[in-house]
Amino acid sequence: LFDSSIEASPEMLQALAEANSFVKVRYVSEDLLKDAKHLQFLPHLADAVAELGGGKLIYDSVAEKLILRRDLQDLLRSRAEVSGPDIHTRVIWRSAPAGGFAETRGLAKVGMPELKTPPTDVDQRILVAAVLQEAIAKLWTLTAVPGSVDVVAFDDHFKVVLEPARDKSLLARILRIQTA
């Protein structure tokens, strides 16, 4: 039913099996938005629609992730601010013959292209994911794509150089900054 990067617990699969219908909630704008108020509103709307329909599971089609409704409710009760990248994005790993690569999901919610790394060794997976998560946080509030972003992950400094890719994404080359 979903891409291989989507993690579904047995409870989530059971909720899908019991579902009688699906409702798609989305915010579409032809104009560049000045703020991210829609991202604050949409999780609450998804919860309200699930309440009305007796839904148990929410699928974020842009971030490509499933969340149990009770977990979404816990999140909404525990935090007033739910428009940040920690809620609306994620980094996924794709296996490839020579290791794999990381991709982001959710940056499109703020009008940014998704990031994709070049092929990377599997043993760098955790580090690459952490660097991309920090890059997402830097890009989240920008209105234009910069040539690079500087981030810190695991107490190390990195420059993420952003280049247009063949698809609509950005190639994210990660360079460690060494200090003498």
Side-chain angles (χ1 to χ4, degrees):
L1 293 174
F2 298 107
D3 187 88
S4 62
S5 68
I6 297 174
E7 300 161 359
S9 68
E11 187 177 1
M12 290 173 174
L13 293 175
Q14 183 63 37
L16 280 171
E18 294 171 1
N20 294 318
S21 62
F22 294 94
V23 177
K24 187 172 189 172
V25 176
R26 68 183 199 167
Y27 186 92
V28 179
S29 176
E30 306 250 339
D31 301 320
L32 184 61
L33 301 173
K34 296 175 186 164
D35 56 44
K37 288 179 185 169
H38 64 292
L39 297 177
Q40 179 70 20
F41 172 70
L42 284 172
H44 291 279
L45 179 59
D47 180 51
V49 170
E51 172 70 26
L52 291 171
K56 298 178 182 174
L57 189 67
I58 311 294
Y59 175 61
D60 182 333
S61 63
V62 179
E64 296 180 4
K65 67 180 176 181
L66 292 165
I67 184 171
L68 291 167
R69 178 164 180 253
R70 71 165 183 263
D71 294 340
L72 176 62
Q73 289 176 307
D74 290 346
L75 176 71
L76 295 175
R77 275 193 291 273
S78 68
R79 294 178 54 173
E81 174 61 41
V82 292
S83 65
D86 59 323
I87 305 293
H88 292 277
T89 65
R90 71 188 192 115
V91 176
I92 62 173
W93 179 263
R94 301 252 187 222
S95 294
F101 57 94
E103 294 179 313
T104 63
R105 293 291 184 266
L107 276 170
K109 293 179 182 186
V110 291
M112 285 283 174
E114 300 296 345
L115 307 180
K116 181 178 179 179
T117 65
T120 307
D121 291 334
V122 173
D123 64 346
Q124 296 293 312
R125 178 180 179 177
I126 302 298
L127 177 62
V128 167
V131 170
L132 283 187
Q133 203 63 53
E134 292 299 319
I136 288 170
K138 295 269 181 148
L139 295 171
W140 194 249
T141 58
L142 300 180
T143 57
V145 177
S148 66
V149 291
D150 294 330
V151 301
V152 176
F154 298 109
D155 296 323
D156 244 340
H157 295 268
F158 298 88
K159 180 178 285 292
V160 182
V161 179
L162 305 171
E163 305 167 357
R166 292 182 187 168
D167 54 12
K168 293 181 181 181
S169 65
L170 291 172
L171 185 63
R173 297 186 188 279
I174 299 172
L175 309 172
R176 180 170 286 164
I177 300 172
Q178 300 287 333
T179 55

